[in-house]
Coordinates of all heavy atoms in Angstrom, one line a residue:
R1438 N 64.4 -105.7 -110.2 CA 63.6 -106.9 -110.4 C 62.1 -106.5 -110.2 O 61.8 -105.8 -109.3 CB 64.0 -108.0 -109.4 CG 63.2 -109.3 -109.6 CD 63.8 -110.4 -108.8 NE 63.1 -111.7 -108.9 CZ 63.3 -112.5 -110.0 NH1 64.1 -112.2 -111.0 NH2 62.6 -113.6 -110.1
N1439 N 61.3 -107.0 -111.1 CA 59.9 -106.7 -111.1 C 59.7 -105.2 -111.0 O 60.1 -104.5 -111.9 CB 59.2 -107.4 -109.8 CG 59.3 -108.9 -109.9 OD1 59.2 -109.4 -111.1 ND2 59.4 -109.6 -108.8
A1440 N 59.0 -104.6 -110.0 CA 58.7 -103.2 -110.0 C 59.9 -102.4 -109.4 O 59.9 -101.1 -109.6 CB 57.5 -102.9 -109.0
M1441 N 60.9 -103.0 -108.9 CA 62.1 -102.3 -108.4 C 63.1 -102.1 -109.5 O 63.5 -103.0 -110.2 CB 62.8 -103.1 -107.3 CG 64.1 -102.5 -106.8 SD 64.8 -103.5 -105.5 CE 66.5 -102.9 -105.5
G1442 N 63.5 -100.8 -109.7 CA 64.5 -100.5 -110.7 C 65.9 -100.8 -110.2 O 66.1 -101.0 -109.0
S1443 N 66.9 -100.7 -111.1 CA 68.3 -100.8 -110.7 C 68.7 -99.6 -109.9 O 68.4 -98.5 -110.1 CB 69.1 -100.9 -112.0 OG 70.5 -100.7 -111.7
Y1444 N 69.6 -100.0 -108.9 CA 70.2 -98.9 -108.1 C 71.7 -98.9 -108.3 O 72.5 -98.3 -107.5 CB 70.0 -99.2 -106.6 CG 68.6 -98.7 -106.1 CD1 67.5 -99.3 -106.5 CD2 68.6 -97.5 -105.4 CE1 66.2 -98.8 -106.1 CE2 67.3 -97.0 -105.0 CZ 66.2 -97.7 -105.3 OH 65.0 -97.2 -104.9
A1445 N 72.1 -99.4 -109.5 CA 73.6 -99.3 -109.9 C 74.0 -97.9 -110.0 O 75.2 -97.6 -109.8 CB 73.8 -100.0 -111.2
G1446 N 73.1 -96.9 -110.3 CA 73.5 -95.5 -110.4 C 73.6 -94.8 -109.1 O 74.2 -93.8 -109.0
Q1447 N 72.9 -95.4 -108.1 CA 72.9 -94.7 -106.8 C 74.0 -95.3 -105.9 O 74.5 -94.6 -104.9 CB 71.6 -95.0 -106.1 CG 70.5 -94.1 -106.7 CD 69.8 -94.8 -107.9 OE1 70.3 -95.8 -108.4 NE2 68.8 -94.1 -108.4
L1448 N 74.4 -96.6 -106.1 CA 75.4 -97.2 -105.2 C 76.6 -97.7 -106.0 O 76.3 -98.4 -107.1 CB 74.8 -98.4 -104.4 CG 73.6 -98.0 -103.5 CD1 72.9 -99.3 -103.0 CD2 74.1 -97.2 -102.3
N1449 N 77.8 -97.5 -105.6 CA 78.9 -97.9 -106.3 C 79.1 -99.4 -106.1 O 78.4 -100.1 -105.4 CB 80.2 -97.1 -106.1 CG 80.6 -97.3 -104.6 OD1 80.5 -98.4 -104.0 ND2 81.1 -96.2 -104.0
A1450 N 80.1 -100.0 -106.8 CA 80.3 -101.4 -106.8 C 80.4 -102.0 -105.4 O 79.7 -103.0 -105.1 CB 81.5 -101.8 -107.7
G1451 N 81.3 -101.5 -104.6 CA 81.5 -102.0 -103.3 C 80.3 -101.8 -102.4 O 79.9 -102.7 -101.6
D1452 N 79.7 -100.7 -102.5 CA 78.5 -100.3 -101.7 C 77.3 -101.2 -102.0 O 76.5 -101.5 -101.1 CB 78.1 -98.8 -101.8 CG 79.1 -98.0 -101.0 OD1 79.9 -98.5 -100.2 OD2 79.1 -96.7 -101.3
R1453 N 77.2 -101.6 -103.2 CA 76.1 -102.6 -103.5 C 76.2 -103.9 -102.7 O 75.3 -104.5 -102.2 CB 76.0 -102.8 -105.0 CG 75.6 -101.6 -105.8 CD 75.2 -102.0 -107.2 NE 76.3 -102.4 -108.1 CZ 77.0 -101.5 -108.7 NH1 76.8 -100.2 -108.7 NH2 78.0 -101.9 -109.5
W1454 N 77.5 -104.3 -102.7 CA 77.8 -105.6 -101.9 C 77.6 -105.3 -100.4 O 77.1 -106.2 -99.7 CB 79.2 -106.1 -102.2 CG 79.3 -106.7 -103.5 CD1 79.8 -106.3 -104.7 CD2 78.8 -108.1 -103.8 NE1 79.7 -107.2 -105.7 CE2 79.1 -108.3 -105.2 CE3 78.1 -109.0 -103.1 CZ2 78.7 -109.6 -105.8 CZ3 77.8 -110.3 -103.7 CH2 78.0 -110.5 -105.0
R1455 N 77.9 -104.2 -99.9 CA 77.7 -103.9 -98.5 C 76.3 -103.9 -98.1 O 75.9 -104.4 -97.0 CB 78.4 -102.5 -98.2 CG 79.9 -102.5 -98.3 CD 80.5 -101.2 -97.9 NE 82.0 -101.2 -98.0 CZ 82.7 -100.9 -99.1 NH1 82.1 -100.5 -100.1 NH2 84.0 -101.0 -99.0
V1456 N 75.4 -103.4 -99.0 CA 74.0 -103.4 -98.7 C 73.5 -104.8 -98.7 O 72.7 -105.3 -97.9 CB 73.2 -102.5 -99.7 CG1 71.7 -102.7 -99.6 CG2 73.5 -101.0 -99.5
A1457 N 74.0 -105.6 -99.7 CA 73.5 -107.0 -99.8 C 74.0 -107.8 -98.6 O 73.3 -108.6 -98.0 CB 74.1 -107.6 -101.1
M1458 N 75.2 -107.5 -98.1 CA 75.7 -108.2 -96.9 C 74.9 -107.8 -95.7 O 74.6 -108.7 -94.9 CB 77.2 -107.8 -96.7 CG 78.2 -108.3 -97.7 SD 79.8 -107.5 -97.6 CE 80.3 -108.0 -95.9
Y1459 N 74.5 -106.6 -95.6 CA 73.7 -106.2 -94.4 C 72.4 -106.8 -94.4 O 71.8 -107.2 -93.4 CB 73.6 -104.6 -94.4 CG 72.6 -104.2 -93.4 CD1 73.0 -104.2 -92.0 CD2 71.3 -103.8 -93.7 CE1 72.0 -103.8 -91.0 CE2 70.4 -103.4 -92.8 CZ 70.8 -103.4 -91.4 OH 69.8 -103.0 -90.5
V1460 N 71.7 -106.9 -95.6 CA 70.5 -107.5 -95.8 C 70.5 -109.0 -95.3 O 69.6 -109.4 -94.5 CB 69.9 -107.5 -97.2 CG1 68.7 -108.4 -97.4 CG2 69.5 -106.1 -97.6
M1461 N 71.5 -109.7 -95.7 CA 71.7 -111.1 -95.3 C 71.9 -111.2 -93.8 O 71.4 -112.1 -93.1 CB 72.7 -111.8 -96.1 CG 72.5 -111.9 -97.6 SD 70.9 -112.8 -98.0 CE 71.4 -114.4 -97.4
N1462 N 72.8 -110.4 -93.3 CA 73.1 -110.4 -91.9 C 72.0 -110.0 -91.0 O 71.8 -110.6 -89.9 CB 74.4 -109.5 -91.7 CG 75.0 -109.7 -90.3 OD1 75.6 -110.7 -90.0 ND2 74.8 -108.7 -89.4
A1463 N 71.3 -109.0 -91.4 CA 70.2 -108.5 -90.5 C 68.9 -109.2 -90.6 O 68.2 -109.3 -89.6 CB 70.0 -107.0 -90.8
F1464 N 68.6 -109.7 -91.8 CA 67.3 -110.2 -92.0 C 67.2 -111.7 -92.4 O 66.1 -112.3 -92.4 CB 66.6 -109.4 -93.1 CG 66.6 -107.9 -92.9 CD1 67.1 -107.1 -93.9 CD2 66.3 -107.3 -91.6 CE1 67.2 -105.7 -93.7 CE2 66.4 -106.0 -91.5 CZ 66.8 -105.1 -92.5
K1465 N 68.4 -112.3 -92.6 CA 68.4 -113.8 -93.0 C 69.3 -114.5 -92.2 O 69.7 -115.7 -92.5 CB 68.8 -113.8 -94.5 CG 67.9 -113.2 -95.5 CD 66.5 -113.9 -95.5 CE 66.6 -115.3 -96.2 NZ 65.2 -115.9 -96.2
G1466 N 69.7 -114.1 -91.0 CA 70.4 -114.9 -90.0 C 71.9 -114.9 -90.3 O 72.6 -115.8 -89.7
G1467 N 72.5 -114.1 -91.1 CA 73.9 -114.1 -91.3 C 74.3 -114.5 -92.8 O 73.5 -114.8 -93.6
M1468 N 75.6 -114.4 -93.0 CA 76.1 -114.8 -94.3 C 77.5 -115.3 -94.2 O 78.2 -115.2 -93.2 CB 76.1 -113.5 -95.3 CG 76.8 -112.3 -94.7 SD 77.3 -111.2 -96.0 CE 78.5 -112.1 -96.8
T1469 N 78.0 -115.9 -95.3 CA 79.4 -116.4 -95.3 C 80.3 -115.3 -95.8 O 80.2 -114.8 -96.9 CB 79.5 -117.6 -96.2 OG1 78.5 -118.6 -95.9 CG2 80.8 -118.3 -96.2
P1470 N 81.4 -115.0 -95.0 CA 82.4 -114.1 -95.5 C 83.2 -114.6 -96.6 O 83.4 -115.9 -96.7 CB 83.2 -113.8 -94.2 CG 83.1 -115.0 -93.4 CD 81.7 -115.5 -93.7
A1471 N 83.8 -113.8 -97.4 CA 84.7 -114.3 -98.5 C 86.0 -114.8 -97.8 O 86.6 -114.2 -97.0 CB 85.0 -113.2 -99.5
S1472 N 86.4 -116.0 -98.3 CA 87.6 -116.6 -97.7 C 88.8 -116.5 -98.6 O 89.9 -116.8 -98.2 CB 87.3 -118.2 -97.4 OG 86.9 -118.8 -98.6
S1473 N 88.6 -116.2 -99.8 CA 89.7 -116.1 -100.8 C 89.2 -115.2 -102.0 O 88.1 -114.7 -102.0 CB 90.1 -117.4 -101.4 OG 89.0 -118.0 -102.1
G1474 N 90.1 -115.0 -103.0 CA 89.8 -114.2 -104.1 C 88.8 -114.9 -105.1 O 88.3 -114.3 -106.0
A1475 N 88.4 -116.2 -104.8 CA 87.6 -116.9 -105.6 C 86.2 -116.3 -105.7 O 85.5 -116.2 -106.7 CB 87.4 -118.4 -105.2
A1476 N 85.7 -115.8 -104.5 CA 84.4 -115.2 -104.5 C 84.4 -114.0 -105.4 O 83.4 -113.7 -106.1 CB 84.1 -114.8 -103.0

């Protein structure tokens, strides 16, 4: 986004979500865990 390039080549599918989860948990006050396969 904007000046930041894609990191899909550096992080695999699961790890991209792990980083996103950490960002929300550490810097945005938490996040909602997945409750089912719907997510």
